[in-house]
């Protein structure tokens, strides 16, 4: 399996990525990145709500609405450029310890091992 992945990367994916980078202007690459970033708003809103940050969730919804309408479907980040609404990407990987939740030991599995779970 390793050799398949290595060869796939070396002979297919890497040349395609280099060709894409050579052909596509940087500004177009930024626009595509902004469009995909705009799609991830649902994940960021849910994350903010689960962390009891309604203000952050509201800011993300605002960014989405501005970028989807004035930013032509999110291809331009108008919310940041014109309105100063910054994205908060660092909070996506916050764990419970960062949020002040006390850690506790997790008990072992209550189900004994079976021969089917090897």
């Amino acid at each position: 399996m390793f050799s398949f992945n290595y060869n796939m990367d070396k002979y297919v994916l890497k040349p395609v990525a280099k060709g894409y980078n050579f052909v596509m202007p940087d500004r177009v690459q930024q626009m595509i990145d902004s469009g995909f970033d705009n799609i991830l708003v649902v994940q960021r809103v849910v994350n903010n709500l689960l962390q009891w940050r309604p203000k952050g969730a509201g800011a993300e919804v605002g960014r989405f609405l501005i970028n989807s309408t004035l930013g032509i479907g999110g291809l331009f980040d108008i919310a940041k450029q014109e309105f100063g609404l910054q994205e908060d990407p660092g909070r996506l990987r916050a764990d419970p310890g960062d949020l002040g939740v006390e850690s506790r030991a997790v008990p072992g599995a209550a189900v004994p091992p079976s021969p089917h779970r090897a």
Side-chain angles (χ1 to χ4, degrees), residues 3-80:
S3 63
F4 172 78
N5 289 342
Y6 178 78
N7 289 327
M8 181 72 149
D9 180 58
K10 185 176 181 178
Y11 297 113
V12 178
L13 299 176
K14 198 169 198 174
V16 169
K18 284 185 175 185
Y20 170 81
N21 199 27
F22 180 75
V23 172
M24 246 349 131
D26 288 340
R27 183 63 186 138
V28 175
Q29 290 182 26
Q30 290 172 350
M31 290 169 58
I32 292 170
D33 185 51
S34 292
F36 280 112
D37 189 51
N38 201 43
I39 293 171
L40 292 176
V41 72
V42 175
Q43 180 182 6
R44 291 191 305 266
V45 168
V46 169
N47 183 60
N48 278 308
L49 291 174
L50 289 174
Q51 293 182 16
W52 298 103
R53 297 178 62 219
K55 186 176 179 183
E60 288 294 340
V61 170
R63 282 180 49 79
F64 175 74
L65 293 175
I66 291 169
N67 288 339
S68 295
T69 55
L70 300 177
I72 309 172
L75 295 178
F76 299 96
D77 194 355
I78 302 295
K80 181 169 68 174

Side-chain angles (χ1 to χ4, degrees), residues 67-107:
N67 288 339
S68 295
T69 55
L70 300 177
I72 309 172
L75 295 178
F76 299 96
D77 194 355
I78 302 295
K80 181 169 68 174
Q81 295 170 358
E82 300 296 328
F83 296 93
L85 289 174
Q86 297 291 331
E87 177 186 346
D88 187 11
R91 300 294 298 180
L92 287 174
R93 291 188 173 87
D95 62 16
D98 293 337
L99 303 174
V101 176
E102 182 180 329
S103 66
R104 297 196 170 119
V106 178

